[in-house]
Amino acid sequence: KKSGMNMSDLVWNRISHLTDAWIYYVGDHSVPSELKAIDGVDVMTREEVFSSSSVFADRNIASFFTDIQFPTAPRDLAAVLDYFVCSRLPNFIGNSVSTFSATQIARRNTVA
């Protein structure tokens, strides 16, 4: 909590001005329930965006780099994918103690 605000309030303060706001969640854990509780805001993960039902269903991302078949994307490859997806999104909300966030912030010359 920052200034007595919970995560959903902090995120809402950053995205409430956007029309059709949604969140691409990157993390080692499942999406926090606080983010799921923000009314009218969809929260998506890499697994959902690149799932078997998505437009990328017939593309095995790892196959561009190796002939080895993986049931899920290797963690490091998934991190690279997340990095480039996030770097193309117009808005980014990061975690002040995250190296991943720090690289996004530095790339954008902004703050978390």
Side-chain angles (χ1 to χ4, degrees), residues 22 24 44-51 53-57 85:
W22 53 274
Y24 180 80
M44 294 175 271
T45 63
R46 173 189 345 102
E47 291 78 17
E48 293 168 324
V49 172
F50 295 97
S51 72
S53 63
S54 78
V55 67
F56 301 101
V85 167

Side-chain angles (χ1 to χ4, degrees), residues 18-103:
L18 303 171
T19 57
D20 298 324
W22 53 274
I23 297 170
Y24 180 80
Y25 177 78
V26 175
D28 291 333
H29 307 285
S30 59
V31 178
S33 57
E34 287 180 281
L35 287 181
K36 291 180 182 179
I38 301 173
D39 288 333
V41 178
D42 290 328
V43 180
M44 294 175 271
T45 63
R46 173 189 345 102
E47 291 78 17
E48 293 168 324
V49 172
F50 295 97
S51 72
S52 60
S53 63
S54 78
V55 67
F56 301 101
D58 56 350
R59 297 181 186 223
N60 178 350
I61 302 296
S63 69
F64 290 107
F65 307 102
T66 181
D67 292 331
I68 299 170
Q69 295 297 312
F70 299 97
T72 60
R75 187 171 192 263
D76 292 339
L77 179 57
V80 169
L81 183 62
D82 287 338
Y83 174 84
F84 285 105
V85 167
C86 288
S87 69
R88 301 290 299 177
L89 296 174
N91 299 289
F92 179 79
I93 300 172
N95 179 329
S96 63
V97 296
S98 164
T99 304
F100 181 92
S101 292
T103 60

